[in-house]
Amino acid sequence: MSGLDLDQRVSACCRGDTTVSADWPDAGSPLHGLKVAPHAALQEAQQRGRLKCSTCGGSRMFFCYTCCSLVGLRPQEVPLVKLPVKIDIIKHPNETDGKSTAIHAKILAPGDVTIYPYPCIPPLDKGKVVLVFPGPEAVSVQDVLQCLLDRSHDSSSEPPPKRLKTEEPGRGPSDGAQGWGQGACPLQRVVFIDSTWNQTNKISTDERLQGLLQVELKSRTTCFWRRQKGKPDSYLATIEAIYYFLKDFHQLGLLQPYGGEYDNLLFFYTFLHSVVNKAKRLAGKT
């Protein structure tokens, strides 16, 4: 669920400007057609090479994965993404900082993402928080909100809040309630584990995470360039898992038409994907 290293905010008038780069990826890729901010600033930063982080002094490219800060980029050159729920990432102590894509989410959605180094885990309200992690009792994204409502109803004498009716399937109301009564949406936070898949057991079995509703992303495949040996393509990098959960939640949970609202979470990921694939082509490995 992690991984990245490399020779390691668009100006105010361009924050809404998005593009689909011709360099990545082909029409058969899950990354094709994303509405991602232009990569020009990243290309220029790559040409300049690695620089020292002004805080820790580490040699970095694009961002410092230790300090969660930009390096060689101005804040206005990087898109900011607003998320519909808060994201908590529990990072395994043995997960290499420079190989983790969790930092992408923190830099691109700083107001909604928090990274906790395990064994630190924040207090979690089991009626309003879900854990994205596969398991025998895991539910689909489409069923998340109803399962939370059922849990809340089982422990309360109050009737559960009702979902607002929509005129057509897959499209929500336009009054900002996003398919639920005002303030009634039961999901507030989503927890992800940032670790190699062989190390996830230590965190996923922690008693503080027990009882959380588990959610599994069953129909997505990874585009990550560093596959974990012996693991299926459905095992996603952390930033992929966050992106796909939010996209599915927007469409299947909130019943809103998706217009690329979270595509910029893959701003760094898509650029690095193109760089790695280009290097492979030049080396004759593809």
Side-chain angles (χ1 to χ4, degrees):
M1 296 179 68
S2 64
L4 150 79
D5 58 15
L6 190 70
D7 257 351
Q8 322 210 254
R9 264 175 193 243
V10 205
S11 66
C13 65
C14 295
R15 281 202 184 273
D17 184 22
T18 57
T19 186
V20 179
S21 171
D23 296 331
W24 60 264
D26 60 43
S29 169
L31 299 180
H32 179 74
L34 295 177
K35 294 181 179 180
V36 178
H39 285 150
L42 297 182
Q43 293 167 343
E44 293 172 4
Q46 184 186 25
Q47 291 297 317
R48 290 192 293 269
R50 299 167 70 93
L51 299 173
K52 284 189 176 182
C53 172
S54 60
T55 302
C56 70
S59 178
R60 304 287 189 261
M61 183 174 287
F62 307 137
F63 50 78
C64 179
Y65 42 75
T66 304
C67 304
C68 295
S69 60
L70 295 173
V71 176
L73 292 167
R74 294 173 298 170
Q76 61 266 31
E77 293 176 323
V78 176
L80 290 176
V81 186
K82 178 62 180 175
L83 308 183
V85 293
K86 300 297 183 182
I87 301 293
D88 291 333
I89 302 172
I90 312 301
K91 184 177 178 297
H92 194 284
N94 294 335
E95 177 65 11
T96 303
D97 289 341
K99 292 185 176 182
S100 171
T101 60
I103 185 63
H104 297 192
K106 177 60 181 176
I107 291 178
L108 296 167
D112 296 316
V113 176
T114 307
I115 300 176
Y116 296 90
Y118 188 79
C120 295
I121 295 179
L124 300 171
D125 184 336
K126 292 179 172 56
K128 299 177 180 180
V129 181
V130 301
L131 170 65
V132 177
F133 193 79
E137 298 183 2
V139 303
S140 68
V141 178
Q142 186 172 7
D143 295 330
V144 164
L145 295 182
Q146 190 59 55
C147 288
L148 287 177
L149 285 174
D150 291 343
R151 284 186 170 201
S152 175
H153 183 53
D154 289 344
S155 60
S156 172
S157 58
E158 296 293 326
K162 293 183 178 180
R163 198 168 193 162
L164 300 178
K165 293 182 179 180
T166 57
E167 295 183 356
E168 49 185 301
R171 302 189 68 87
S174 57
D175 61 359
Q178 299 192 94
W180 296 86
Q182 186 64 35
C185 183
L187 181 61
Q188 293 186 354
R189 312 188 78 85
V190 185
V191 178
F192 293 84
I193 296 174
D194 187 50
S195 167
T196 62
W197 283 94
N198 291 329
Q199 297 175 330
T200 55
N201 187 64
K202 182 179 179 66
I203 299 178
S204 64
T205 58
D206 190 291
E207 61 180 9
R208 292 169 291 180
L209 297 181
Q210 303 310 299
L212 289 179
L213 179 66
Q214 285 185 230
V215 183
E216 185 171 359
L217 305 173
K218 300 179 180 180
S219 62
R220 301 297 188 176
T221 57
T222 185
C223 293
F224 191 52
W225 48 91
R226 187 185 293 105
R227 304 286 179 86
Q228 294 188 38
K229 186 176 181 180
K231 302 302 180 183
D233 288 347
S234 58
Y235 280 25
L236 306 173
T238 302
I239 192 62
E240 290 179 311
I242 294 172
Y243 168 73
Y244 284 127
F245 174 86
L246 290 172
K247 182 178 180 180
D248 288 349
F249 179 68
H250 189 94
Q251 295 176 295
L252 304 176
L254 298 178
L255 298 183
Q256 293 287 301
Y258 184 71
E261 286 82 353
Y262 318 120
D263 285 7
N264 269 324
L265 284 175
L266 299 178
F267 177 68
F268 292 112
Y269 185 85
T270 50
F271 179 74
L272 295 169
H273 184 275
S274 68
V275 170
V276 171
N277 280 356
K278 182 177 180 180
K280 287 181 177 180
R281 288 196 300 270
L282 292 175
K285 295 182 179 180
T286 58

